[in-house]
Amino acid sequence: MERHMYRAAVIAGATAGVALGFLKWAAYLVGILPYQTYILTAGIILPVNLAFTIQGYLIGFLVHTAFTGLWGVLFALLVRDRLSEAISWGIGFGIMTMVLLAGFLMGYFTPEQPFWNLNQAAQYFTIISSILYGAFLGYLYRQFLRLPAGVHR
């Protein structure tokens, strides 16, 4: 994979991840989700008392953005030769991400609040937001690859 493809994948993944994080933050603020995504992410590496601080939000935002950038590279490796189908592959990738992250990792790191114990609105929101994340990731990746790569010396 060449440098332009990696750059497009990381930027598309990070951008889609920031959009997903803000969408889930808004869902937390209106009461749909019982957790805040950035605090949940910060809680992976920080103690609980530090996760609920401004530094926790900032670290959670940075870690969440970095992880979604890496997910963008994984997505780019999956759709390398199928760029015309990037959005449909992105939808499938979003569903796979939801199953892996919300289903398994959230159940491991927050055993009191796994996906299957969320209320019905939170479950539907998680499924729909994951599908939108994947579609947006596929769209952004395809668009970023169409940009000129420029001259690198």
Side-chain angles (χ1 to χ4, degrees), residues 8-138:
V10 169
I11 292 172
T15 304
V18 167
L20 176 69
F22 285 148
L23 183 66
K24 287 189 172 188
W25 193 353
Y28 167 74
L29 291 176
V30 297
I32 296 174
L33 290 178
Y35 59 87
Q36 207 286 330
T37 301
Y38 297 139
I39 291 175
L40 186 69
T41 305
I44 294 172
I45 58 174
L46 293 176
V48 175
N49 61 342
L50 293 177
F52 286 93
T53 62
I54 296 297
Q55 292 85 3
Y57 272 103
L58 181 61
I59 289 172
F61 173 77
L62 293 174
V63 170
H64 184 267
T65 304
F67 279 149
T68 54
L70 292 175
W71 279 108
V73 172
L74 179 63
F75 175 74
L77 292 172
L78 289 173
V79 297
R80 180 186 306 188
D81 299 326
R82 298 176 279 287
L83 195 57
S84 63
E85 304 165 351
I87 294 175
S88 58
W89 273 85
I91 291 170
F93 188 77
I95 293 170
M96 183 214 47
T97 300
M98 189 241 1
V99 168
L100 179 67
L101 297 179
F104 296 117
L105 286 180
M106 194 170 141
Y108 177 75
F109 286 112
T110 58
E112 70 280 354
Q113 197 64 261
F115 174 74
W116 50 87
N117 284 348
L118 295 175
N119 63 28
Q120 194 172 21
Q123 287 179 347
Y124 287 150
F125 180 82
T126 303
I127 293 168
I128 291 170
S129 64
S130 296
I131 290 170
L132 289 174
Y133 161 75
F136 192 49
L137 173 63

